[in-house]
Amino acid sequence: MAEHNTEFGGKTLEDIHEKQMDFLRLVLQNQNDNYYLKGCAGSGKTFIAALALGMISDKRSAVLLVYTKMLKNFIRDNLNDDTLHTTHYHRWLQHPEYYDTIIIDECQDFREGWINKVRSCSGSQIWLGDINQQIYSESEKDGGFETLIYNSENIVNQEFVVNYRNSISTANFAKLFMRLTDDEKELGIKLEEKREAFIKPILNNPKQTSGARNQPVLLIDCEDENAEYDCIAAIIKSIRDSKEDSKQIVIAQLHHDDLTDIGDALTERNIDYKRLPRGPEKEAVLDTINFKEDKDLVLLSTIHSLKGVEIDYIIFPRTEDYNIDFFGSDEINSNLLYTLFTRPKTRAFCSFTDKDRSVVYNQVYDIIDELDDIEKSFFTLVTSDEYLSGTEVKQSGSETYEDEGGPEQSGGVTEQSTDDIEDQITKYFKKLGGEADDTEDDDEPDLIF
């Protein structure tokens, strides 16, 4: 067989970490074994799956199966090797071929019948997933994933625990939507322990601890719907006007009809974008996008379609419960938001017109008493008037959480200085018992706005 590239998204073998390398060595030395790789969001599961595909394909027939069409295209664009076979499960199922090895990414949403089909069409499998990112109720009820990882005798379990994607600010936001699985509860794991385990390893990545990458998550309390759409348009324009090399943006909603409304509003405001539709047209739109090359991409997408991908910025408007219109169990709803807020590499923006019904606002408020001033600095609340006028505002420290029980308006919107943020992060890691890395990174982008 031909020799394949071992590169993904510009990263090569030199970029992978020792734990990731250990897993690749294990897989290559024992290619007839079955593996389950558990990994938190941002731990590099897809990166390792792509590298493993290239390495295994040198010796054996192999395919990488994923759940969504977007993730299939995201991997295709970043692999830069057309000879490697990557596809989404439902397309493969139309003409299921036998492979020596099948690699399955985002397997937490595979059902028992699908898992059995993969097993029957392969000599060995590498399953990669995270129960905290299970976002389909049908898969939760089916229980096939739990059977695969907890009741399979012939599977080798491995785990990645370091988040290499999210900044401290976005990770601290995403952690608010983490939950304990039943298995973790039985083991006596506490939610705060799990959150700390998710945050603390980010210390090892200087890009994620730099001030330039850690502007706070912005919560925008909008006067009305028009003001909310004005803010979305202003955010997009500000990012596009920045000097960053990559400024890909996804505006996410749970339902397609809501994406249509947002798209119409952005068109009225002269914002160009690509919309990921439902049905057979989705693949045609995806084929017009190159996730590696389209650095100014603005994409409207459902949350479900974002499984497994990473993006520079996430904008999540209309965060009231009646606008989100959740379905499924409370666990699935938490997983949806956790999955969404672990996508951005740089920053997240959320907005609402009714803060009392905003799922995001209330999640911050519900835990605010448990946070110290440093942790509160990772979130900022502003009004739409403040954001659009660009006047100054303090970050959300303890002094801004008063009276009504939530983040108070504090007079405008601006960015914190890089030095101030890096000082906060240093103090934050000292509190966690670690030591912040002072490594300079000359490649960090300029601040936006």
Side-chain angles (χ1 to χ4, degrees):
M1 294 185 182
E3 186 172 332
H4 297 279
N5 291 336
T6 51
E7 178 182 330
F8 184 76
K11 300 176 182 178
T12 64
L13 285 175
E14 289 72 27
D15 297 304
I16 73 175
H17 297 267
E18 190 59 32
K19 185 76 173 179
Q20 296 171 328
M21 181 62 84
D22 287 344
F23 179 74
L24 286 175
R25 291 191 189 104
L26 181 65
V27 168
L28 293 175
Q29 290 168 2
N30 305 278
Q31 294 191 26
N32 291 318
D33 289 346
N34 301 310
Y35 299 90
Y36 167 59
L37 176 60
K38 172 185 177 182
C40 68
S43 60
K45 297 186 298 296
T46 299
F47 172 41
I48 293 304
L51 290 182
L53 176 65
M55 295 174 181
I56 291 172
S57 295
D58 288 341
K59 306 291 184 182
R60 299 156 60 92
S61 62
V63 64
L64 173 55
L65 293 185
V66 300
Y67 194 95
T68 68
K69 296 175 182 177
M70 187 188 290
L71 182 55
K72 183 259 294 183
N73 282 37
F74 178 82
I75 292 172
R76 177 204 65 190
D77 294 343
N78 282 284
L79 264 177
N80 197 30
D81 188 340
D82 293 336
T83 65
L84 294 175
H85 193 185
T86 302
T87 188
H88 60 90
Y89 174 78
H90 291 92
R91 170 158 294 179
W92 171 80
L93 188 61
Q94 294 175 5
H95 304 285
E97 298 179 48
Y98 183 91
Y99 289 88
D100 294 324
T101 299
I102 295 183
I103 305 170
I104 309 94
D105 197 12
E106 299 292 323
C107 70
Q108 67 271 4
D109 278 307
F110 275 59
R111 305 175 200 173
E112 184 173 10
W114 304 359
I115 292 169
N116 291 336
K117 185 66 176 178
V118 169
R119 282 174 156 169
S120 69
C121 291
S122 58
S124 63
Q125 309 92 42
I126 303 173
W127 307 88
L128 305 97
D130 176 13
I131 190 66
N132 295 292
Q133 297 181 70
Q134 187 177 69
I135 60 175
Y136 287 94
S137 297
E138 295 85 352
S139 303
E140 180 189 41
K141 294 173 184 175
D142 175 87
F145 174 66
E146 286 82 355
T147 300
L148 169 71
I149 62 176
Y150 296 127
N151 298 317
S152 296
E153 295 181 358
N154 63 337
I155 194 165
V156 179
N157 286 275
Q158 297 284 298
E159 184 173 9
F160 288 170
V161 297
V162 178
N163 180 342
Y164 300 107
R165 176 191 304 137
N166 304 126
S167 67
I168 292 296
S169 295
T170 56
N172 266 278
F173 191 60
K175 81 176 185 182
L176 302 183
F177 302 91
M178 297 181 80
R179 67 177 180 87
L180 290 175
T181 65
D182 291 339
D183 187 57
E184 288 167 335
K185 292 176 183 176
E186 291 180 6
L187 292 172
I189 296 173
K190 304 298 184 184
L191 183 56
E192 188 52 42
E193 295 172 349
K194 183 174 180 177
R195 285 172 170 163
E196 184 173 315
F198 175 66
I199 294 292
K200 193 170 181 179
I202 298 176
L203 168 66
N204 296 326
N205 190 333
K207 279 193 174 183
Q208 293 163 302
T209 57
S210 73
R213 191 176 286 273
N214 275 279
Q215 291 300 326
V217 171
L218 200 60
L219 310 179
I220 308 177
D221 187 358
C222 299
E223 180 180 359
D224 53 33
E225 189 176 77
N226 278 327
E228 187 167 20
Y229 291 141
D230 287 342
C231 285
I232 297 171
I235 291 168
I236 294 170
K237 289 177 180 177
S238 296
I239 295 172
R240 282 179 162 175
D241 289 343
S242 73
K243 298 178 182 178
E244 300 173 63
D245 291 332
S246 182
K247 34 198 171 184
Q248 295 179 334
I249 304 168
V250 165
I251 304 168
Q253 294 283 272
L254 192 59
H255 299 285
H256 281 280
D257 289 345
D258 298 317
L259 291 175
T260 298
D261 293 340
I262 294 172
D264 291 343
L266 291 180
T267 299
E268 291 175 2
R269 289 159 175 80
N270 298 314
I271 300 293
D272 60 287
Y273 60 87
K274 292 192 175 181
R275 158 74 192 282
L276 201 62
R278 59 163 62 94
E281 296 178 1
K282 179 183 292 186
E283 198 142 19
V285 172
L286 283 170
D287 284 340
T288 69
I289 297 169
N290 186 303
F291 286 97
K292 185 179 179 181
E293 303 296 336
D294 296 346
K295 303 300 186 182
D296 293 312
L297 174 68
V298 176
L299 181 66
L300 273 60
S301 171
T302 61
I303 298 174
H304 287 89
S305 291
L306 295 174
K307 282 169 61 70
V309 305
E310 61 183 27
I311 210 77
D312 296 309
Y313 295 91
I314 287 291
I315 302 174
F316 184 41
R318 309 176 79 254
T319 59
E320 295 86 355
D321 52 7
Y322 52 79
N323 279 329
I324 297 176
D325 191 18
F326 280 122
F327 40 75
S329 67
D330 290 341
E331 289 79 8
I332 292 296
N333 295 335
S334 294
N335 289 353
L336 278 164
L337 295 179
Y338 172 74
T339 299
L340 173 64
F341 294 131
T342 51
R343 299 308 96 200
K345 294 185 287 184
T346 302
R347 198 177 191 188
F349 301 83
C350 300
S351 60
F352 41 85
T353 61
D354 181 359
K355 70 179 182 182
D356 292 334
R357 297 290 295 275
S358 168
V359 173
V360 170
Y361 175 90
N362 283 294
Q363 187 65 21
V364 174
Y365 169 51
D366 286 347
I367 199 175
I368 205 67
D369 290 338
E370 302 174 27
L371 305 179
D372 60 26
D373 288 352
I374 297 173
E375 292 171 305
K376 290 173 185 175
S377 71
F378 296 126
F379 320 101
T380 297
L381 177 83
V382 298
T383 67
S384 52
D385 285 344
E386 291 165 342
Y387 181 79
L388 293 170
S389 67
T391 52
E392 287 195 358
V393 358
K394 294 189 298 183
Q395 302 306 308
S396 302
S398 58
E399 73 278 4
T400 65
Y401 287 83
E402 302 169 353
D403 298 330
E404 296 184 11
E408 276 195 337
Q409 302 163 8
S410 42
V413 145
T414 189
E415 305 305 307
Q416 277 191 316
S417 74
T418 299
D419 289 343
D420 285 347
I421 293 176
E422 290 180 348
D423 182 59
Q424 289 175 359
I425 292 171
T426 299
K427 293 176 180 177
Y428 181 64
F429 277 115
K430 285 182 178 178
K431 184 193 75 168
L432 291 180
E435 292 295 332
D437 193 325
D438 293 328
T439 302
E440 293 287 340
D441 191 333
D442 295 331
D443 295 327
E444 283 303 317
D446 294 338
L447 299 181
I448 64 171
F449 302 103

